[in-house]
Amino acid sequence: MGSGAIAGLFAADLGLLPQARIAAVHSRTLAGAQGFAGRFGAAAYADAAAFLADPAVEAVYVATPNHLHAAQALQALAAGKPVLIEKPVALNSADVEAIAQAARERGLFAMEALWSRFLPAVRAMREQIEAGRIGEVRRIRADLSYAHPQEPGSRFFDPTLGGGAAYDLGVYPLSLTLHLLGAPLAAGGRWFAAAGGVDLRSEFRLDYPQATAELSCGFDRDGENRFLVEGTRGALTLAAPFLKAQRLTFDADPGRALAAYERGRGLAARLLDRIPKPGRSGEAFAFPGNGLQFQAQALMTAVRAGETDCATMPLSDSAAVLRIVESVLARPPAGQG
């Protein structure tokens, strides 16, 4: 459901999975659906009910604007279709819980398409943390920021379309932090308003018994877009852009890893960081395509196993992330961007 940019990337990556194919596409207009369908050899629909009734459709990927995700996911589940829902899965945690309940009641699979959790580099990071390679985790630092002009009609700044940096970008560092450390004891933060009232920039702090996470996102600048996990015996860094990371660096000196993180990614910093140093090593995790195929494979495996939720990306985590976003955005803005 949806024929925009992310739908096209997902559809292209399905070509990397021999057991997957695109049966049909639904768009707001038949012309939009036909244009997309012509690229991938699929049926085209402008009517959602007819699309969902097509027996060739075995699962639905919801790739529409943010404000439509929850309603369309529930519509797909009501039609008996497993569903993969583009992030954010909804604009509030109550809607996520409604999706989870509907999936359980119908015995159908539902998952947020937070695809970064399924990347090989992210899997390797989690495995190395669990194996104790960096000792006890003490701090996570991450920023995900891409500059977008505040233009009239931009979906990034339209509150009626679910705009705002936290929904579009902040869910990535928040979700990966919960993936690594679980739910925090407490969460706080602040946000800065764009002209249209949504958050131009948001900052989050998550507190754990022995660790803290300092996370940020924004449309106000192009950020470092890396993800650093410091432990008592070392540190791991996902290279930029970490949401589609293909490189993981280990440093036995967490202070040196933090200094490298804070230096940024300028040319001088990149050259300095490439100088071989004892105790520092990097691993490449290259993959073909855009990286969206890994979540599609997870859905296929889960559906065939009769599961309704995904252990790697459970809807309970999706709801927990949105509760954090809700709690921060409920506060008055710290300033105007």
Side-chain angles (χ1 to χ4, degrees):
M1 301 187 81
S3 56
I6 189 64
L9 295 176
F10 182 83
D13 281 1
L14 282 186
L16 300 169
L17 301 176
Q19 294 180 315
R21 70 179 184 88
I22 303 167
V25 60
H26 167 264
S27 189
R28 289 174 298 171
T29 67
L30 185 58
Q34 288 173 335
F36 188 96
R39 293 162 53 196
F40 299 103
Y45 292 95
D47 180 80
F51 165 78
L52 293 170
D54 188 333
V57 176
E58 297 178 328
V60 173
Y61 171 54
V62 175
T64 50
N66 294 348
H67 68 297
L68 300 174
H69 291 176
Q72 290 179 332
L74 290 170
Q75 190 178 11
L77 290 168
K81 309 291 186 180
V83 64
L84 177 66
I85 312 141
E86 189 51 55
K87 60 81 197 165
V89 62
L91 297 180
N92 60 74
S93 56
D95 282 348
V96 183
E97 290 159 2
I99 292 168
Q101 181 178 347
R104 286 192 301 269
E105 290 175 350
R106 292 169 174 81
L108 295 169
F109 180 84
M111 184 181 85
E112 181 178 22
L114 207 297
W115 55 286
S116 302
R117 285 198 181 196
F118 298 91
L119 295 177
V122 173
R123 292 203 308 267
M125 171 180 267
R126 190 181 188 199
E127 290 167 359
Q128 292 179 26
I129 291 171
E130 291 176 345
R133 188 180 189 191
I134 63 171
E136 296 294 325
V137 175
R138 289 291 181 258
R139 180 163 62 169
I140 290 179
R141 293 276 299 274
D143 175 64
L144 188 62
S145 298
Y146 292 100
H148 289 287
Q150 297 189 50
E151 297 174 339
S154 170
R155 72 167 183 87
F156 296 111
F157 299 100
D158 190 338
T160 66
L161 298 179
Y167 287 124
D168 200 73
L169 300 173
V171 291
Y172 285 104
L174 285 167
S175 185
L176 288 188
T177 299
L178 268 62
H179 185 50
L180 298 175
L181 298 183
L185 295 176
R190 61 180 185 168
W191 64 284
F192 298 84
V198 301
D199 62 309
L200 176 68
R201 181 163 195 82
S202 287
E203 300 169 355
F204 304 92
R205 177 188 169 96
L206 311 186
D207 293 315
Y208 292 87
Q210 303 295 331
T212 59
E214 300 166 16
L215 315 171
S216 58
C217 62
F219 295 146
D220 57 333
R221 64 190 180 94
D222 289 320
E224 296 303 322
N225 300 342
R226 290 177 293 168
F227 193 99
L228 169 69
V229 183
E230 300 174 56
T232 54
R233 297 201 303 270
L236 291 166
T237 303
L238 290 170
F242 75 79
L243 77 167
K244 50 182 176 182
Q246 299 192 40
R247 186 170 181 82
L248 178 64
T249 300
F250 167 78
D251 199 320
D253 183 344
R256 184 170 63 188
L258 176 61
Y261 179 91
E262 292 181 337
R263 275 197 300 270
R265 292 188 292 122
L267 177 60
R270 292 200 303 270
L271 292 174
L272 184 61
D273 291 342
R274 288 175 184 172
I275 298 174
K277 290 184 173 64
R280 188 170 69 189
S281 60
E283 298 175 83
F285 294 91
F287 51 78
N290 306 291
L292 302 177
Q293 66 269 30
F294 301 109
Q295 63 180 356
Q297 182 61 66
L299 177 145
M300 292 161 64
T301 300
V303 169
R304 289 173 182 143
E307 298 170 358
T308 62
D309 205 5
C310 177
T312 301
M313 185 64 250
L315 283 174
S316 58
D317 276 13
S318 300
V321 165
L322 286 176
R323 282 194 291 270
I324 295 169
V325 172
E326 289 166 356
S327 69
V328 171
L329 296 185
R331 302 177 179 188
Q336 189 81 20

